[in-house]
Amino acid sequence: MDVGVAEGKFTEIMREVFNRPDLQYSPELTAAEVEEWDSLSHVDLIVAVESEFKIRLSTGEVRGLKNVGQFVALIAAKAK
Amino acid sequence: MDFTTLGFLAYLAAAALVYRVLPERLRPVLILVASYVYYWFAGSWMILLLVCETLLVFGGALLLEKTSGQRRRQTIMVTVVSLLVGVLVLFKGEFMLPSRWAGALLMPLGASYYTFKLVGYLVDVYWQASPAETNLLNFAAYSAFFPQIVAGPIQRAESFLPQMRVAPNATSRGVLLGIQRILLGFFKKFIVADNLGLFVNYVYAHLHGGAEPILLGFYGYPLQMYADFSALTDIAVGSALLFGIASPENFEAPFAAVSPTDYWRRWHITLTLWLTDYVFTPLRMSTRTWGNAGLVFSLVVNMVLIGLWHGFRWTFVIFGLVHAFYLAVDALTGKQRRNYYKTHPQTKAWAGRIGPITTFHLVAIGFVCFRASSLSDIVYVLRHLFANVTNWSAPFASFFAENSRFLAVGAGGYAVAEVFDYLRRRNAREPILETLPRWGRWSAYSCSVLAACLLAMLLFVKGNKPSPFLYAIF
């Protein structure tokens, strides 16, 4: 999938899951910078991403991610 | 060589001085030798277990990196982790062995903490989140680093190993902060924890004996535990700073938490983060299709494991279940509360003010489960919380009259320690000491040196008798 398309969809999912319509996409954005992004909502985000992009993510794949940019790159690589 | 002895301070100072004069390439060797010598004095032959587990994980991680098949990689990871956890469980469950073996398996010093470090590192290599370390010396220094071995903090390999590769000099600011941090730890331990502990221990030892104010134990124990455990962290973090090594923090004003979830972000932070990464998240990922049931299940397993880690006792299981209940209610109602606050902003302000008070009391109930020696004691304490607040038994009245000054010192010291901790956290974010005029800076330096001398004298007078930390046994 095109990274630009994945970025747009991922931003919408983040806004929905964290209930933050004002959230802006940035590849360097990390969970530490979003107050609502904790270990509980992290899994909600993954479930929403899997459902939207029709992919399956493993714990190991997600553990290695350092920022939102890497998350989107992983989605773009796995989604059709 | 307990942290609260003059012997430890002398050993630490000598090791830090030698570290400073050594060339950088030899510094990891010194860290390793100093750590193994410390461990030998503290744990004797149990050092062999530490060495064996270090070699096993070092080799296991390299093997993982060379192995390509997913099934084989998983087998290697599961085998090594099972061995490490199995050994830990064997020592933790020692009391369940037949009585003729009683005392045969004493828990090796720091076994929990180096096991956490080793398991986390190996799983990260398995997940390909971190590369395998190729330098055995640096890796052995990581697993054995003596300031952290007694009770953490649980530093991740990805944070420690880069510091070991560079092994820079400790800056003069770092050394000063390290000394101040160690002093703060001793203040919390001797002035706050030990004095409050006197009363808490009395109340819990005489629960059914007559008329003791149980409320004193209820409020005193969380403060004693925090002062005691954070003192251990302060001494560990301060000691590491003398070698120029930055450690993660373990506490962030836990009693200012506005909710149980917030509390666990501030209490024993490195253990909470470790469990989140290696227990909760994998469990939650496996149960993500179960909806809220999966969330509750993962929370219960995670918190009961935290409880059981302290020892295989029903009181610790109850402690875990109580906190799992708090966290589950917090998580399941979170979205509704946030939506409500959006439409009722004045309620949010009130919730922010009441939150720390409510959370402290919820946490204190959890601490009753932690401190009580049986299930019946938990029930007794919670049912008689307000008993005997003024109507004291004669023995307690006499004990209080004799020792009330220690309670005053402990409670006053707690307030002072909170102020010191606040200033320390603020100074870490934006240095304030350096912005002071010269007389202000030198006053701070002189106070630190004088306090260090005073502490050394006190420890000398006290003799080499250690004052055990509550958390050093886990």
Side-chain angles (χ1 to χ4, degrees):
Chain A
M1 175 182 275
D2 178 63
V3 175
V5 176
E7 276 177 7
K9 285 186 176 181
F10 185 80
T11 308
E12 287 308 312
I13 294 171
M14 275 200 305
R15 289 174 178 165
E16 173 75 23
V17 170
F18 302 135
N19 200 13
R20 284 274 307 272
D22 60 313
L23 212 54
Q24 294 298 317
Y25 178 84
S26 151
E28 287 82 32
L29 186 71
T30 64
E33 295 164 58
V34 183
E35 196 191 337
E36 294 81 0
W37 194 339
D38 58 17
S39 55
L40 303 180
S41 57
H42 186 57
V43 178
D44 293 339
L45 180 71
I46 291 165
V47 171
V49 162
E50 286 180 332
S51 165
E52 174 67 33
F53 293 96
K54 309 280 182 291
I55 55 171
R56 185 87 178 158
L57 299 167
S58 72
T59 311
E61 283 172 333
V62 181
R63 165 79 178 114
L65 302 173
K66 304 282 184 226
N67 53 38
V68 162
Q70 290 187 5
F71 203 156
V72 168
L74 175 68
I75 294 167
K78 293 193 95 169
K80 287 175 186 161
Chain B
M1 209 189 308
D2 192 278
F3 274 10
T4 58
T5 58
L6 196 55
F8 170 75
L9 289 184
Y11 183 75
L12 176 68
L17 280 173
V18 177
Y19 182 88
R20 200 173 176 84
V21 295
L22 278 180
E24 282 160 15
R25 66 191 166 79
L26 291 179
R27 287 176 176 173
V29 182
L30 177 87
I31 292 283
L32 182 62
V33 171
S35 297
Y36 278 173
V37 169
Y38 175 85
Y39 202 89
W40 171 258
F41 279 110
S44 189
W45 289 106
M46 282 300 174
I47 194 173
L48 291 177
L49 185 66
L50 169 63
V51 174
C52 288
E53 291 196 358
T54 301
L55 290 172
L56 176 71
V57 172
F58 180 77
L62 289 174
L63 190 61
L64 269 177
E65 221 169 46
K66 286 196 183 108
T67 309
S68 50
Q70 176 58 19
R71 182 62 66 87
R72 287 179 65 193
R73 295 185 81 247
Q74 194 172 27
T75 308
I76 296 167
M77 187 274 286
V78 170
T79 308
V80 177
V81 170
S82 304
L83 276 170
L84 298 178
V85 176
V87 169
L88 192 62
V89 170
L90 187 70
F91 281 106
K92 289 268 182 197
E94 183 265 341
F95 71 95
M96 294 195 295
L97 292 173
S99 57
R100 64 177 183 277
W101 292 341
L105 287 174
L106 285 178
M107 185 74 179
L109 180 83
S112 292
Y113 291 93
Y114 67 70
T115 304
F116 283 135
K117 280 180 168 182
L118 293 172
V119 168
Y121 163 76
L122 191 80
V123 174
D124 274 349
V125 173
Y126 169 73
W127 281 338
Q128 296 173 321
S130 297
E133 174 64 37
T134 52
N135 186 324
L136 178 59
L137 191 70
N138 287 356
F139 185 72
Y142 165 63
S143 67
F145 186 46
F146 74 97
Q148 297 173 351
I149 206 154
V150 179
I154 306 162
Q155 187 159 19
R156 303 292 174 94
E158 64 196 27
S159 150
F160 185 91
L161 289 172
Q163 299 190 69
M164 201 71 298
R165 283 180 208 121
V166 182
N169 265 336
T171 59
S172 51
R173 179 173 191 265
V175 171
L176 180 70
L177 286 176
I179 292 172
Q180 288 175 340
R181 195 70 191 266
I182 293 170
L183 287 169
L184 178 61
F186 275 91
F187 180 85
K188 284 181 183 170
K189 173 66 181 156
F190 288 145
I191 307 296
V192 186
D194 287 355
N195 285 324
L196 291 178
L198 200 63
F199 284 82
V200 172
N201 292 343
Y202 187 95
V203 170
Y204 273 95
H206 298 82
L207 271 187
H208 310 286
E212 277 69 44
I214 287 175
L215 215 52
L216 192 60
F218 180 79
Y219 283 116
Y221 187 62
L223 304 186
Q224 179 205 355
M225 178 55 104
Y226 172 53
D228 195 281
F229 191 12
S230 67
L232 201 48
T233 300
D234 287 333
I235 296 172
V237 172
S239 302
L241 276 176
L242 300 185
F243 298 96
I245 292 172
S247 311
E249 289 297 340
N250 241 355
F251 297 94
E252 184 82 27
F255 298 141
V258 293
S259 68
T261 308
D262 189 27
Y263 168 79
W264 281 105
R265 285 192 202 112
R266 295 160 173 266
W267 178 273
H268 207 173
I269 298 168
T270 55
L271 178 68
T272 307
L273 288 177
W274 191 95
L275 284 163
T276 301
D277 284 347
Y278 304 111
V279 178
F280 176 78
T281 304
L283 260 178
R284 184 75 191 98
M285 285 289 283
S286 312
T287 59
R288 62 192 187 271
T289 52
W290 300 6
N292 285 339
L295 171 67
V296 174
F297 174 78
S298 307
L299 282 172
V300 168
V301 172
N302 195 59
M303 298 317 289
V304 167
L305 279 178
I306 286 191
L308 284 175
W309 169 68
H310 294 94
F312 292 169
R313 271 174 34 191
W314 282 110
T315 50
F316 290 137
V317 175
I318 302 289
F319 167 80
L321 287 173
V322 164
H323 275 283
F325 174 72
Y326 294 160
L327 293 174
V329 171
D330 202 4
L332 295 176
T333 61
K335 200 168 261 180
Q336 288 87 335
R337 277 182 290 132
R338 278 193 294 275
N339 288 338
Y340 184 79
Y341 293 150
K342 273 189 181 155
T343 51
H344 300 79
Q346 72 281 16
T347 326
K348 190 183 180 185
W350 273 106
R353 283 180 208 127
I354 297 167
I357 301 166
T358 319
T359 305
F360 177 84
H361 284 85
L362 292 173
V363 165
I365 291 171
F367 271 119
V368 170
C369 308
F370 194 91
R371 178 64 176 78
S373 47
S374 65
L375 296 181
S376 60
D377 277 1
I378 296 174
V379 176
Y380 184 87
V381 169
L382 295 177
R383 285 186 63 185
H384 296 83
L385 263 188
F386 301 102
N388 315 318
V389 174
T390 52
N391 177 30
W392 297 350
S393 67
F396 181 75
S398 143
F399 173 81
F400 189 85
E402 208 173 304
N403 298 292
S404 59
R405 64 190 188 285
F406 294 117
L407 181 63
V409 169
Y414 181 84
V416 173
E418 283 285 9
V419 173
F420 279 150
D421 250 339
Y422 169 76
L423 290 173
R424 177 187 64 72
R425 285 194 299 274
R426 219 184 117 188
N427 192 44
R429 280 195 297 273
E430 41 181 280
I432 40 178
L433 191 63
E434 283 77 356
T435 59
L436 293 175
R438 184 181 285 186
W439 66 266
R441 286 200 310 276
W442 279 99
S443 301
Y445 300 153
S446 313
C447 284
S448 300
V449 171
L450 280 173
C453 293
L454 190 64
L455 174 68
M457 278 163 58
L458 279 174
L459 291 176
F460 183 72
V461 172
K462 191 169 163 276
N464 223 23
K465 190 172 149 237
S467 187
F469 285 93
L470 297 177
Y471 245 79
I473 57 168
F474 300 130

